[in-house]
Structures are given as C-alpha cells and as structure tokens.
Amino acid sequence: MAPADVALPQTDSAFENFSEAVREWKQKVKESEFSRSTTSVAAVEHSGPQGKVKPLTIIDHPSDWTSASLKGKESEYTCRWREADTLELDAAVQKLKARGVSTEDDVQQLTREDYHLPVLSAKLVAVGKEVTHGRGFHLIRGFPVDIYRGDRLGLVLAFWGVALVLGRVQVSQTDYTEDGTTFGSVLNHVTVGRKTHVKVNPRHPRPAAGRSGVDGNSEGAKDFTTGKEGDKNREFLPFHSDQGATDLIALLSVTAAPKGGESKWVSSIAIHNELLRQGRKDLVEALSVKNSWFIPRKYDQATWERSPDGHYAGFEEIVPFEYHDGYLSVYFNNGNFHEINQELSPKQEEAIWAVAKLAEDPDFHFSLKLEPGDLELIHNPSTLHSRSDVYDGEAPYQKRHLLRWWVDSTANSRPIAPTFAPRSSVPANGGFHDYGEKVRLPFYPYSRHDGEGQSTY
C-alpha cells in the first residue's frame, strides 16, 4: 500500500491508447468466433496423461485446468515461504558473502553445491516437479525480498540459489547497454523501459527484410502483429510462449506498480482439449501440421520468398501443437506467425484466433497482481502467459520490478518437442544464443542504467 501523500497514476486514459497494434489485436480477439461442432464430448477419444498422449485426443492430466475449475482450491497451487526457509537460505547467502562473493561474475561461477540448503532444496524440487509434470504452475508467497531491501547482492544470491536448486540456468534474453553493446543475460529485470532504444550494433545490423527493430536492437522497436510503433514495456501483452525457454520460467516480484501489471497464465493443454471438446478437431489438426508454420530467424531474414521445398527462406518451422514422445508441447505467439507476412490459410487463421479467444476468457486464465515477495513458476511448454497494462508511480518503490530467470529442470526433466525452440536463436541445450560480447548477470535493471546496467533501484 502506497503512503497517502504519494500521487498514484491517473485514470486508464493516461495510457489507454499505447499503440494501434494493441487496439487491433484486442478487436481481432473480440470479433473472433470459431463455430462449435455438435460432436458430443463422449465421442472424443481420450489418450491418458502426458507421457502417453496420442495426437488429436483429449489429454487427461492435471495440466488440463481452468481458473473456473480451480476456484476455492488455492491451497493446491499456492504455498508460503516459511521463516525456517528464510533462515536457511539467508544463512547460505551470508556464508557466500563472507567467502568474498561480490560481483556478477562471482555469482555466475556458483553451483548448487555452494548453497547448503538441506531442507529447502527438497521443497523446491517438489514444487518444480509439480510445475513440470503436474499442473504447470505454482505460486510461492512470502519470498524474503524485504530483508534484502538495500542489499541487492543478497537478493540476487537468494534468488539465484533457488534457480540452481531447480536446474541449469539459461540465457533468457539479449540485452543492450546505451551504446548498443549486446550481452546475453541469465538474470532479467522486468521493468518499464527495459527495452531501450539504442544505437545499432554493427555486429548485428538491422535485417534487410522483416521488422526494422529486433528486441530494441535498432533505432526503433516495432510492436507485435502489425509492426507499428508502440510501448511494449508498459502496455498489455497477449498470451504467448517464450520461444527460447525449454522448461521453467520464474518471476519474482520485487516492487509492484500501484495499478496494473497483472500477471496472467492459462493452460495450453486445456485450450487444446477444449477445442476437441467443442468438436473442432480440424483446428487442432491444423495447429499440429508440420511444414506449415514458420517464424522469423534472428538476424538473417534475407528474403520473404519460399524455398523449393516449401519453406520460407530465412525462416524456420515451429509447430504450435507438437506431439512428441508421448507429450504435447505448445508454442503460441500469433504475432510471430503473422510477422513473416505468411499467407496463412483460412483454417490456420481461425485456429490461432480460436486459441487467443480461449486464452483471453476469464474462465480459462488466472489474473493475479504479483505483490512483493510473490514468486510465480510456470512450465513454458504447457502454460501460456500474459500481462495487463502497467501504470508505474513516480517513487522508486512504485515502479514495477520483477526478476526473471529460465531454468532447464535437471531433477524433473521431460521431453520437449523438437521445433519448440527455434535453432537460429536457441542452442541445442536451450536458452538463447547470447549474440553479445559476454554472458552477464546484472544486479540492477539495465534500462535504468549508467552505461553498465547499474542503478540505485
């Protein structure tokens, strides 16, 4: 709760028209109506849980949930960080600091064995198993961000310890300093303005075709779907998968905006099953057909033309609903599919807007404002995520700030579909290619920078 003497953001009108792209996207979802079939639920074949999935069948698994189905069951997907957990974690943090760990390079060298967490490790691995093999998300409340106010090293060490317990941390973003220098980041700061407009890096010049801006690495960053200018850092984001992560995504709230910035997540398995329950097996099939869905490669978009084998030259395949080794992995980002000006068939268009429509249904998705100390864990191949408009205040503690990492869960691994992570931007072992001078673990938001990604908050 903000003090009474601090001015809160004004009404929605202050930011209600961030970009034409957002307005067009919302209107498209509103107008989208996929027709239901008269096929009964009983007539749809079931194939059992993840691990035994047959294509085009309903998946009977805990990851088939909706917000409506989980009403009144908060205890099933929420747990609290206990005082004993804090004492154990902080003891490990203080030992590391006493050892001389003080820089981002020092922290990057740490391993799970550097953290003595005999009780907490078992708890975290159990939560990771539930996220990866069960429901696909979990909310941990009460992570001790308050005891690390003014101690950014301590906060980073604490959050990093959780990541190392769960698995191998991956490069999850390519970041930029003001002069255009790029670096791969294994710890991200999600803030308004985090993708700054910087000088073009000569090592990765603007592509000859496609978007004129790639994730801020140019003079002007374009928006999704239409490619028009907008503020991606502050405005609504549609439901999507992160295309480089192969497993777990974590978001820890350090500070929250006074208004907006709600995190949303929805089961992509439930959307898959609902389309089948509605008798729209044809849409599920369209979303799972190989050699028909493509997204842009990074930095080498040479041409929009198809190659002789039917692929787009300069682009690569990524199948939205991909069945592999008894599992379904879902990649969804309709902006990426539209970005190449691909001539989607009417069936493909209907299918992707049907997915978007179901994801935006409040009976399907959760919407929750992460308060300081809330830690959200989601399984990327089975859970889509989104965010509402952000309305930061003026004071530092009123500016939304989340810490994020991606982790390949070593203790709770499961098969991921081959095309889920596009290889032009994602190495074989997951995460992003860093495309930069080095891999960094910045302690502070790089957008509030002094040239090195450091600031006082």
Side-chain angles (χ1 to χ4, degrees):
M1 183 70 68
D5 59 348
V6 175
L8 298 180
Q10 299 184 7
T11 62
D12 289 355
S13 62
F15 297 125
E16 65 184 2
N17 293 317
F18 281 136
S19 73
E20 186 179 342
V22 168
R23 296 196 303 274
E24 289 181 6
W25 192 92
K26 289 185 176 182
Q27 186 64 27
K28 190 79 172 178
V29 171
K30 183 178 180 180
E31 294 174 352
S32 174
E33 287 293 344
F34 64 97
S35 59
R36 271 71 166 173
S37 169
T38 57
T39 303
S40 68
V41 174
V44 182
E45 184 182 357
H46 292 237
S47 63
Q50 289 275 36
K52 298 183 178 180
V53 172
K54 293 193 300 183
L56 309 179
T57 62
I58 288 178
I59 300 167
D60 299 302
H61 192 260
S63 56
D64 178 17
W65 57 264
T66 65
S67 60
S69 71
L70 292 181
K71 281 184 177 177
K73 301 178 182 178
E74 185 177 358
S75 61
E76 294 183 10
Y77 58 83
T78 305
C79 64
R80 291 207 64 83
W81 196 271
R82 304 296 182 185
E83 183 179 359
D85 302 326
T86 296
L87 291 173
E88 186 172 275
L89 180 61
D90 190 54
V93 166
Q94 299 309 322
K95 285 182 180 179
L96 290 171
K97 292 166 73 173
R99 252 175 51 184
V101 174
S102 61
T103 69
E104 61 179 74
D105 289 337
D106 293 340
V107 178
Q108 280 199 72
Q109 299 305 313
L110 298 176
T111 68
R112 178 175 179 171
E113 286 66 36
D114 289 304
Y115 288 82
H116 181 63
L117 304 171
V119 178
L120 184 56
S121 289
K123 293 181 181 180
L124 291 173
V125 169
V127 169
K129 183 177 182 180
E130 170 61 24
V131 174
T132 305
H133 291 280
R135 189 170 288 109
F137 77 93
H138 203 83
L139 182 64
I140 301 174
R141 307 202 109 142
F143 189 88
V145 294
D146 283 340
I147 72 170
Y148 297 113
R149 298 290 179 196
D151 179 11
R152 184 53 58 87
L153 172 61
L155 176 63
V156 169
L157 283 170
F159 191 44
W160 195 245
V162 175
L164 293 177
V165 165
L166 290 173
R168 181 179 59 85
V169 188
Q170 301 170 318
V171 173
S172 49
Q173 193 162 295
T174 302
D175 296 325
Y176 314 89
T177 55
E178 193 170 33
D179 65 357
T181 301
T182 58
F183 60 91
S185 179
V186 289
L187 180 67
N188 307 142
H189 297 264
V190 182
T191 64
V192 168
R194 69 192 182 96
K195 292 184 185 294
T196 56
H197 288 195
V198 298
K199 298 175 184 177
V200 176
N201 187 328
R203 291 184 56 183
H204 302 299
R206 183 173 297 172
R211 293 181 299 177
S212 62
V214 180
D215 292 339
N217 193 22
S218 74
E219 296 292 348
K222 299 294 183 179
D223 219 313
F224 52 84
T225 306
T226 65
K228 296 183 174 64
E229 298 287 350
D231 187 349
K232 293 178 69 173
N233 312 290
R234 183 175 285 164
E235 67 190 3
F236 155 86
L237 289 177
F239 280 98
H240 63 281
S241 310
D242 282 358
Q243 70 178 30
T246 57
D247 213 329
L248 300 178
I249 302 173
L251 284 171
L252 171 65
S253 175
V254 179
T255 54
K259 184 177 180 182
E262 287 85 3
S263 291
K264 301 179 182 181
W265 57 97
V266 67
S267 167
S268 50
I269 307 305
I271 292 173
H272 166 275
N273 287 351
E274 181 65 14
L275 290 173
L276 292 172
R277 291 187 179 105
Q278 294 290 349
R280 295 310 307 269
K281 185 177 181 179
D282 59 323
L283 297 184
V284 176
E285 186 170 24
L287 289 160
S288 61
V289 172
K290 295 182 184 294
N291 198 32
S292 62
W293 297 91
F294 302 91
I295 65 171
R297 291 184 185 274
K298 298 294 183 184
Y299 303 117
D300 63 354
Q301 302 174 59
T303 177
W304 302 102
E305 298 176 358
R306 286 181 186 269
S307 55
D309 64 0
H311 286 79
Y312 281 87
F315 299 91
E316 59 200 318
E317 182 178 15
I318 187 164
V319 182
F321 287 177
E322 188 165 7
Y323 304 100
H324 171 69
D325 203 13
Y327 290 83
L328 172 65
S329 296
V330 177
Y331 172 82
F332 185 76
N333 188 324
N334 65 357
N336 275 356
F337 291 125
H338 282 109
E339 192 172 39
I340 64 173
N341 277 350
Q342 181 183 351
E343 297 164 354
L344 297 177
S345 70
K347 186 70 71 177
Q348 286 178 309
E349 285 281 1
E350 184 182 10
I352 60 174
W353 290 111
V355 172
K357 185 84 170 182
L358 287 172
E360 291 294 339
D361 186 339
D363 283 338
F364 266 75
H365 71 249
F366 275 108
S367 180
L368 178 71
K369 183 174 181 177
L370 297 178
E371 299 296 342
D374 285 348
L375 172 55
E376 168 193 340
L377 278 169
I378 66 172
H379 184 240
N380 195 38
S382 62
T383 309
L384 309 180
H385 60 283
S386 172
R387 187 205 66 214
S388 68
D389 295 345
V390 179
Y391 302 87
D392 270 354
E394 293 299 322
Y397 59 83
Q398 289 188 307
K399 297 183 184 297
R400 184 175 184 262
H401 181 190
L402 306 177
L403 292 179
R404 182 185 72 179
W405 43 245
W406 288 350
V407 158
D408 176 26
S409 179
T410 51
N412 302 307
S413 60
R414 54 146 277 191
I416 305 296
T419 75
F420 183 82
R423 293 305 173 213
S424 72
S425 57
V426 181
N429 62 356
F432 277 146
H433 289 299
D434 59 271
Y435 291 116
E437 310 299 329
K438 63 180 295 186
V439 173
R440 288 190 55 191
L441 193 158
F443 287 1
Y444 293 92
Y446 32 84
S447 58
R448 302 167 183 173
H449 54 70
D450 58 5
E452 292 297 326
Q454 307 299 301
S455 76
T456 57
Y457 64 93

